[in-house]
Amino acid sequence: MNTPDPDNQLLLDFLATTNQPVFLTGKAGTGKTTLLRKIRDTTKKNFAVVAPTAVAAINAGGVTLHSFFQIPFGPLIPVVDESAETGFKYSDEKTRLLRCLDLLIIDEISMVRVDIIDFIDRTLKRVKGSNLPFGGVQVLMIGDLYQLSPIFHDAWHILGAYYSSPYFFDSIIFRSTPMVTFMLDKVYRQSDPVFLDILNGMRENTLDSNLLEKLNERYDPSLDQEWKDDYITLTTHNQLVNEINQGCLEKLEGEMFDFDAEISGDFPKDAYPTDEKLQLKLGAQVIFIKNDSSGKKQYYNGKAAKITAIDQHSIKVAFSGDGKEIEVEKEIWQNVKYSLSDEDNKIDETSTGSFSQYPFKLAWAITVHKSQGLTFDHAIVDVSTAFTHGQAYVALSRCRSLEGLILKSPVTAESIITDAKVISFTKASHQDKPTPELLEKYSQQYAWSLIHELLDFSLVAKDWEKLGRSKLIDKDEKNAFLSIYEQANQILQNEVFKVARNFITKEFSKISTSENPANAGAFMERVKKASDYFIPKLEQVMVLMAKIVAINFYNDTHSDKLLTVLKDCKDALQTKLALFKISWNPFSIKDYIDTLHAAGNKQPEKKIIKSSIKPKEISNPQVYKNLVEWRKTIAAQRGTQDYAVLSDLALLSIAERMPKTTDQLAAIKSVGIGNAKELGQQITRIVNAHLGTSELF
């Protein structure tokens, strides 16, 4: 088992005391996966682990990026105007979880497309109501840029106008936010200095002719004539892998055994770690795809073996190399879901499904893509058809030694595809190595950024202004809303937003962010006085917001949008109110974060269901009742909200005006020509039935 270098304590300290984005990288075999496990086991922060693919997510013990953030498929154009994305809405449960998130761990970051990073940044800023990068969430990105790259060709004709490359480091957020890069240098997989020089030369596109010649000494032209036992073939295409594995399995004599996976709960097909139906024979060559969970350390992810005994109930294998024989038990993979504990505001991992199967797959051949993270003692490598950056390097770096490597065809300079952007970024990022002094600097900046963020009302001010521009059809409800809004607006604009801006301008110019806030007693006294000033102002506004909620709005899209924006404003101000009440002298990051979590995890208030229309306002109540029932049926057929068919105000107007023809219906402002054409026949039938007249009247 790889043991991370003791120097990694500095990385753990960066994750514990700062919110700076961190890129953890290293060559193949340097122990990135082992260090990820240690981070998961030791961090005190609320964290989630995500990865770009389902298999990578299962292997990392996390979930996919797309499922965690509900990311739309296709290119994500970076939005300058944040209001353009407000149509995207999370459930209350997901919103509370994201508000309590402190650390986001993205594994296999090399495969994450650039626009997804900016989407995550915008999303977390919006959900957390924060201007800080990623809404104040620390992002730990793990991976090797010299390995598998993002799939971007189908989206680049759009994204190319906004980004200079498809890699995560070229995202808009990282143009203004520095990331700290930690490089794992010690290679655990290989120890041969010549082989390491070859691999480094391939990574950095500096492989000289002597090393290339040394590598090509491993070319074996006799491979087409004879098969090499105990060797696994690495190639670039799925079809070739399937042909090799099936062909070799069929050549074996003896009975074929089928082993079906046991799948329970929610476990998506694209996350299956091995075949749902394993077909095996005596003598089949297999590779383990999971570390031994029994604690016996009998096998690891990537260890090759051969089946020595098999029946319907048990399988024995002997390992390549030492020949040790073991009986293999089925392993279980869990599909993880993150949820938020109401008791302590901690993010918990729960299993939503499991996949149980023998922890190996046929291994005469495997794709380069599927080999990432694996280690082979004996491998046949064919990179003559490498078609993308990093493929040749990934394939060759799976091998433990040069002696255990056989080339199916000579490696040419053309098959070593590297990306100049990756090389340039890597050189630049490695020039400034993290130091204890840098840790101290970012730790202090983190504390100051929290105080600054609390006093920064700019995001909630934007939402508040948007709330004031809300459209309402009914004159009475609009007047009721505006009268309360104006009262709150006077307080917020003149006594909160303006005062907070002045405080930031004047007071923050006097302090040094290199000083520990805990030692800045005079400044903290001024923050305490500011808190005492803001608390009653915000409490007044909260009372007025509750009055807006109590208005008897019509059940339509306009009021729905208004109440959504109002909730965002209310949540943001409620959080700031809670934070202003903490103890400021001395300042404690832990108290601040605990309070932030408690405020972010408040259960949404239960909505009081009210009749949108008062009985005395309804003309022809029976017609109105019939229209409501009809609308409910149409909404169910369409799978939408009732008001999306026609608003309450429209139904009220129909019941009052009693239109007998579609032309008369179209003349009603709250109905309109489009709805009259689409729904007119059904509506006039209800009206005419009540009047006892012909629909053709």
Side-chain angles (χ1 to χ4, degrees):
M1 185 65 70
N2 298 343
T3 306
D5 196 289
D7 290 344
N8 291 331
Q9 185 57 47
L10 184 61
L11 165 65
L12 299 177
D13 291 341
F14 261 89
L15 296 178
T17 64
T18 81
N19 67 341
Q20 208 64 25
V22 173
F23 175 38
L24 172 61
T25 187
K27 301 166 188 173
T30 49
K32 295 185 290 293
T33 303
T34 304
L35 189 49
L36 169 57
R37 280 199 297 272
K38 182 169 184 180
I39 292 165
R40 291 175 61 118
D41 292 343
T42 58
T43 185
K44 300 272 194 303
K45 289 184 174 181
N46 270 345
F47 73 92
V49 179
V50 294
T53 67
V55 172
I58 293 293
N59 288 338
V63 299
T64 65
L65 267 168
H66 280 79
S67 67
F68 189 72
F69 286 103
Q70 294 163 237
I71 301 173
F73 287 97
L76 304 163
I77 296 172
V79 178
V80 177
D81 179 10
E82 299 295 334
S83 64
E85 278 191 331
T86 51
F88 188 82
K89 217 168 138 186
Y90 288 119
S91 67
D92 287 330
E93 183 184 2
K94 176 55 69 77
T95 297
R96 288 188 291 116
L97 188 149
L98 291 176
R99 283 178 179 164
C100 290
L101 183 67
D102 303 317
L103 174 63
L104 177 68
I105 302 172
I106 307 177
D107 199 18
E108 303 291 8
I109 188 65
S110 69
M111 298 168 66
V112 178
R113 207 175 58 207
V114 60
D115 55 320
I116 291 175
I117 296 297
D118 282 327
F119 177 88
I120 293 169
D121 172 58
R122 295 192 302 272
T123 296
L124 289 172
K125 281 176 176 170
R126 187 176 69 251
V127 170
K128 282 184 164 268
S130 168
N131 276 317
L132 293 173
F134 300 99
V137 174
Q138 185 170 35
V139 180
L140 169 61
M141 298 155 285
I142 303 175
D144 182 3
L145 282 164
Y146 288 93
Q147 298 191 39
L148 298 177
S149 52
I151 297 169
F152 65 92
H153 300 290
D154 59 340
W156 198 244
H157 65 290
I158 295 173
L159 296 177
Y162 302 94
Y163 299 106
S164 57
S165 88
Y167 299 103
F168 76 94
F169 55 77
D170 269 329
S171 58
I172 292 170
I173 184 59
F174 287 133
R175 295 174 195 172
S176 57
T177 305
M179 72 176 87
V180 181
T181 299
F182 283 85
M183 175 78 179
L184 300 179
D185 292 313
K186 185 176 179 182
V187 178
Y188 294 91
R189 187 176 289 149
Q190 297 95 9
S191 56
D192 176 1
V194 175
F195 193 28
L196 286 171
D197 285 344
I198 290 170
L199 293 175
N200 289 338
M202 293 183 73
R203 274 176 73 86
E204 296 160 17
N205 202 20
T206 57
L207 190 65
D208 62 37
S209 56
N210 290 333
L211 287 174
L212 183 59
E213 187 178 330
K214 185 73 177 172
L215 173 61
N216 281 323
E217 288 176 8
R218 304 306 304 162
Y219 167 54
D220 184 349
S222 69
L223 276 180
D224 288 336
Q225 282 75 44
E226 60 176 282
W227 186 260
K228 300 281 186 182
D229 277 342
D230 299 330
Y231 275 76
I232 183 168
T233 297
L234 274 74
T235 187
T236 50
H237 290 81
N238 268 312
Q239 186 178 348
L240 187 56
V241 166
N242 292 334
E243 288 172 3
I244 292 172
N245 282 332
Q246 283 305 120
C248 291
L249 185 65
E250 287 168 8
K251 285 178 186 175
L252 290 176
E253 296 180 0
E255 183 182 352
M256 181 87 77
F257 290 90
D258 292 346
F259 298 93
D260 292 320
E262 295 169 30
I263 302 160
S264 66
D266 176 26
F267 205 104
K269 274 186 175 292
D270 61 350
Y272 289 178
T274 185
D275 297 333
E276 184 177 0
K277 183 188 287 291
L278 269 177
Q279 291 193 310
L280 303 168
K281 285 183 181 179
L282 184 67
Q285 191 166 297
V286 296
I287 184 170
F288 283 83
I289 54 167
K290 197 177 194 295
N291 294 334
D292 184 1
S293 64
S294 69
K296 298 176 185 175
K297 300 183 180 179
Q298 298 178 109
Y299 52 83
Y300 53 80
N301 194 355
K303 193 169 181 67
K306 187 173 283 187
I307 294 176
T308 53
I310 184 170
D311 59 35
Q312 208 61 59
H313 307 290
S314 68
I315 300 175
K316 287 184 179 178
V317 301
F319 295 114
S320 304
D322 60 14
K324 180 185 175 185
E325 187 179 66
I326 65 165
E327 182 171 343
V328 184
E329 301 290 335
K330 287 187 174 183
E331 288 273 5
I332 298 175
W333 289 261
Q334 302 290 346
N335 184 26
V336 169
K337 181 186 176 185
Y338 291 106
S339 59
L340 196 61
S341 162
D342 291 332
E343 289 77 37
D344 56 7
N345 307 312
K346 295 294 182 187
I347 294 178
D348 297 324
E349 290 179 345
T350 54
S351 175
T352 60
S354 65
F355 179 100
S356 175
Q357 180 61 286
Y358 285 105
F360 46 59
K361 58 173 61 177
L362 291 176
W364 286 282
I366 189 172
T367 61
V368 174
H369 187 94
K370 293 280 177 64
S371 74
Q372 192 156 357
L374 304 182
T375 303
F376 307 125
D377 293 313
H378 301 95
I380 298 166
V381 175
D382 178 15
V383 292
S384 59
T385 55
F387 56 87
T388 188
H389 156 78
Q391 269 193 328
Y393 169 74
V394 171
L396 293 171
S397 62
R398 301 307 94 195
C399 304
R400 197 179 292 280
S401 68
L402 200 55
E403 288 69 33
L405 166 67
I406 297 176
L407 295 175
K408 196 169 184 180
S409 57
V411 175
T412 63
E414 290 72 31
S415 59
I416 304 171
I417 304 168
T418 54
D419 192 313
K421 270 276 183 184
V422 170
I423 294 171
S424 172
F425 166 77
T426 303
K427 284 182 179 175
S429 64
H430 291 173
Q431 283 174 355
D432 297 323
K433 288 197 171 182
T435 61
E437 292 73 26
L438 191 64
L439 170 66
E440 180 70 16
K441 172 188 169 183
Y442 282 136
S443 295
Q444 310 299 12
Q445 283 186 8
Y446 177 38
W448 285 114
S449 73
L450 294 177
I451 301 167
H452 186 282
E453 182 67 20
L454 172 59
L455 292 158
D456 181 1
F457 283 83
S458 59
L459 277 183
V460 71
K462 283 182 186 176
D463 280 343
W464 181 255
E465 287 167 16
K466 190 198 306 179
L467 182 66
R469 298 192 299 271
S470 297
K471 293 179 181 178
L472 292 169
I473 292 177
D474 182 70
K475 188 177 178 182
D476 291 338
E477 71 178 22
K478 187 171 186 177
N479 289 338
F481 162 69
L482 286 176
S483 69
I484 303 171
Y485 176 84
E486 282 305 324
Q487 292 176 59
N489 192 47
Q490 288 299 318
I491 299 170
L492 285 175
Q493 296 292 355
N494 300 322
E495 301 176 43
V496 177
F497 298 162
K498 185 177 178 181
V499 174
R501 281 195 301 270
N502 290 339
F503 186 95
I504 289 173
T505 303
K506 291 178 183 176
E507 301 298 338
F508 270 82
S509 63
K510 299 175 185 175
I511 55 102
S512 168
T513 54
S514 61
E515 182 183 6
N516 190 328
N519 300 330
F523 177 83
M524 286 304 164
E525 273 305 312
R526 291 195 288 277
V527 174
K528 173 72 172 67
K529 287 179 181 176
S531 298
D532 292 340
Y533 168 82
F534 285 122
I535 287 168
K537 306 293 181 189
L538 293 179
E539 286 175 339
Q540 278 181 272
V541 173
M542 300 307 293
V543 170
L544 291 169
M545 283 182 165
K547 288 184 178 180
I548 294 176
V549 174
I551 293 173
N552 205 4
F553 289 107
Y554 286 118
N555 186 13
D556 59 18
T557 54
H558 298 293
S559 62
D560 192 47
K561 286 177 183 176
L562 182 151
L563 291 170
T564 297
V565 178
L566 179 66
K567 183 180 182 301
D568 290 342
C569 293
K570 190 178 177 187
D571 288 349
L573 293 175
Q574 190 83 59
T575 298
K576 286 185 183 292
L577 182 58
L579 289 169
F580 277 127
K581 292 179 179 179
I582 67 171
S583 173
W584 285 101
N585 212 348
F587 174 68
S588 161
I589 289 179
K590 184 180 184 305
D591 288 350
Y592 187 102
I593 297 299
D594 286 348
T595 304
L596 186 67
H597 286 171
N601 190 23
K602 281 206 168 179
Q603 292 283 352
E605 295 172 7
K606 288 186 179 178
K607 293 177 183 174
I608 301 169
I609 307 299
K610 298 179 181 177
S611 169
S612 301
I613 312 295
K614 295 173 185 173
K616 66 180 181 181
E617 295 175 338
I618 301 174
S619 306
N620 300 303
Q622 186 58 49
V623 174
Y624 179 76
K625 183 180 177 184
N626 293 343
L627 288 168
V628 168
E629 290 301 316
W630 162 81
R631 182 180 65 174
K632 195 174 291 183
T633 303
I634 299 297
Q637 290 170 357
R638 293 181 178 180
T640 187
Q641 298 288 336
D642 290 4
Y643 64 72
V645 179
L646 278 177
S647 69
D648 286 356
L649 184 59
L651 299 190
L652 179 66
S653 300
I654 294 167
E656 181 183 355
R657 303 270 288 275
M658 298 294 280
K660 295 189 282 291
T661 67
T662 52
D663 287 343
Q664 291 174 1
L665 181 66
I668 298 174
K669 188 177 178 182
S670 54
V671 176
I673 296 172
N675 284 326
K677 282 183 178 178
E678 184 183 2
L679 304 169
Q681 191 175 5
Q682 299 173 59
I683 292 170
T684 55
R685 186 183 294 127
I686 293 170
V687 171
N688 288 319
H690 180 77
L691 294 172
T693 56
S694 164
E695 293 173 28
L696 299 175
F697 182 79

